Amino acid sequence: MDRVVEDRPELASSVPSLFASRSLSARAFERIEARQPLAALTLAQSRVRHEPMEPDSTAALGAARLLSGDQQGAYDAFRVAAQFGWRTVPTQLYWLQQATALKDYKSAAERFDALARQSPSWLRERPLIDPLERDPRGRAELVARLAERPGWLENYASDMTDLPRDVVELRYQVLMGLSAKGIQVGCHTIAPATSQLAQLGSMVDAAQLWRAHCPSATGKGAINDGSFAAVTADPALAPFAWNLSVSGDVDIAFEPADHGQKLVITSTAAFDRPVASQLLAATPGPYILRWQATDQNARPSDRILAALSCGPTEPVKLSAATLAPDGRWTLPLSIAPACAGEWLRFSIAAGSGSVSLSDVTLEPRR
């Protein structure tokens, strides 16, 4: 029964004292949590006498000494514990805090990595990871650890719920540093982080992060995936991907096109209907919007209409586009500085037959 205590420390007190050995560590840690240093020290010393070579023996002794105020004694005990193995959490915590105090960010990142590999829940312990994320040297060491693709990488990249704005921005820097090393976490993993940045109003950073970690997030200028190469009928993963609007009177099919796909849109509505939208990764200023729209006979079609909207507000229809010599529709527009997130929205006007939409770009106007 004694070894069961390793997995279920709450059983420690029920182990007969005659057979107790490993349970002594668990009972010592119970006393430490209860802030009872003398009782913890007695149990930890007994554990060391029973099995001095076990990592948790000297770890319990170090923790008890630390609670008692014996800094040197704690240091000596944890130094021995480290020689027996690093998986013991108190040992990892002690040396992580020591490294942090000395600004030894490489060692601190190694110790934090060891903890997070055991349980990604350590990512929520801000006092442990905060010193690493807030210092450029610490962020560089986090990038080095994450480049090894540990099991906690996905949690680090995707779980930013309830994090303060400044922490989200620091994590953005780490993830961009990871991308600079050629590591992409993937579209599904990075989508929550890009959405979080977008909600905070950091549109450009959010779009850069999306493009850095989502292999299919390509595009020219301020548009992501202007060739619709990654578009599917499924809901978009992130606001910088295309969001399609399919309804009872609008059908959208996909056909191959140069460097991607084209959306083949059919509408039976008697009025304009939305078909596709995307949050723009554009700084304020003048732009040129271009797209290709053709009817079922491959002739240019003016039934595709463009509009801008600031967030979820009612879209503002843009003026009529002009047909350029290359067969693409061209429309000058401006991104207002007052809007933290401008949405580009395409709709289809009433009419017969299908219309194909492809090759969308948004570039600064010179």
Side-chain angles (χ1 to χ4, degrees):
M1 179 177 179
D2 181 47
R3 291 185 177 266
V4 176
V5 173
E6 289 186 324
D7 298 320
R8 298 185 60 190
E10 72 273 10
L11 298 178
S13 60
S14 64
V15 179
S17 59
L18 180 63
F19 303 105
S21 57
R22 291 174 182 258
S23 62
L24 289 169
S25 293
R27 291 161 63 191
F29 285 119
E30 285 180 354
R31 299 300 184 273
I32 290 169
E33 290 184 10
R35 315 299 293 178
Q36 298 173 357
L38 293 180
L41 194 57
T42 299
L43 289 165
Q45 289 169 338
S46 180
R47 169 70 165 133
V48 170
R49 285 194 299 270
H50 277 83
E51 291 187 275
M53 303 299 289
E54 290 293 329
D56 67 303
S57 299
T58 41
L61 181 61
R65 286 176 173 176
L66 197 62
L67 183 62
S68 302
D70 182 3
Q71 299 290 334
Q72 184 60 49
Y75 177 87
D76 294 339
F78 278 119
R79 186 171 59 178
V80 174
Q83 296 172 6
F84 292 143
W86 283 103
R87 287 188 61 81
T88 306
V89 169
T91 303
Q92 294 285 7
L93 287 172
Y94 178 81
W95 290 112
L96 169 58
Q97 292 168 337
Q98 291 292 309
T100 299
L102 295 171
K103 299 189 183 301
D104 179 359
Y105 294 107
K106 183 176 187 298
S107 296
E110 290 173 350
R111 301 282 66 79
F112 185 83
D113 177 39
L115 287 168
R117 284 174 186 263
Q118 294 184 53
S119 173
S121 63
W122 288 105
L123 289 167
R124 283 289 168 176
E125 299 297 329
R126 292 306 310 166
L128 300 182
I129 193 172
D130 210 56
L132 288 167
E133 288 187 320
R134 291 194 181 280
D135 190 286
R137 295 165 295 179
R139 292 195 293 273
E141 295 299 338
L142 281 174
V143 169
R145 306 311 303 181
L146 289 167
E148 297 180 2
R149 294 187 176 274
W152 54 280
L153 170 57
E154 182 173 344
N155 296 77
Y156 185 85
S158 63
D159 185 10
M160 299 191 190
T161 307
D162 301 327
L163 290 181
R165 182 191 185 101
D166 61 332
V167 174
V168 173
E169 292 171 348
L170 291 172
R171 194 158 293 187
Y172 157 80
Q173 294 181 41
V174 173
L175 292 170
M176 290 301 293
L178 191 62
S179 170
K181 287 183 171 290
I183 305 294
Q184 288 184 308
V185 300
C187 306
H188 282 271
T189 299
I190 207 62
T194 60
S195 297
Q196 183 79 358
L197 281 165
Q199 290 171 12
L200 293 172
S202 301
M203 300 301 169
V204 174
D205 288 350
Q208 288 177 344
L209 190 64
W210 177 243
R211 289 188 177 185
H213 284 280
C214 180
S216 63
T218 59
K220 186 176 182 181
I223 292 288
N224 273 300
D225 191 22
S227 62
F228 298 107
V231 175
T232 68
D234 297 327
L237 291 173
F240 299 102
W242 286 107
N243 292 266
L244 302 186
S245 301
V246 180
S247 62
D249 47 15
V250 174
D251 179 72
I252 302 177
F254 308 95
E255 289 186 1
D258 293 340
H259 312 295
Q261 302 181 105
K262 55 184 176 181
L263 306 184
V264 182
I265 309 157
T266 304
S267 174
T268 58
F271 44 85
D272 300 350
R273 295 291 288 166
V275 292
S277 61
Q278 183 182 119
L279 183 61
L280 297 178
T283 54
Y287 289 84
I288 293 288
L289 175 66
R290 296 183 176 91
W291 69 90
Q292 186 156 21
T294 56
D295 63 20
Q296 53 199 11
N297 297 313
R299 296 174 302 196
S301 172
D302 60 0
R303 289 178 60 203
I304 296 298
L305 310 174
L308 288 177
S309 69
C310 185
T313 60
E314 185 69 22
V316 177
K317 290 183 180 180
L318 301 173
S319 57
T322 58
L323 187 62
D326 63 358
R328 300 173 72 202
W329 296 93
T330 302
L331 184 63
L333 58 83
S334 294
I335 303 296
C339 183
E342 198 89 55
W343 284 81
L344 171 65
R345 304 181 188 274
F346 282 112
S347 60
I348 183 170
S352 61
S354 63
V355 177
S356 297
L357 172 63
S358 61
D359 195 15
V360 181
T361 60
L362 180 67
E363 299 176 287
R365 190 165 72 223
R366 296 177 177 84

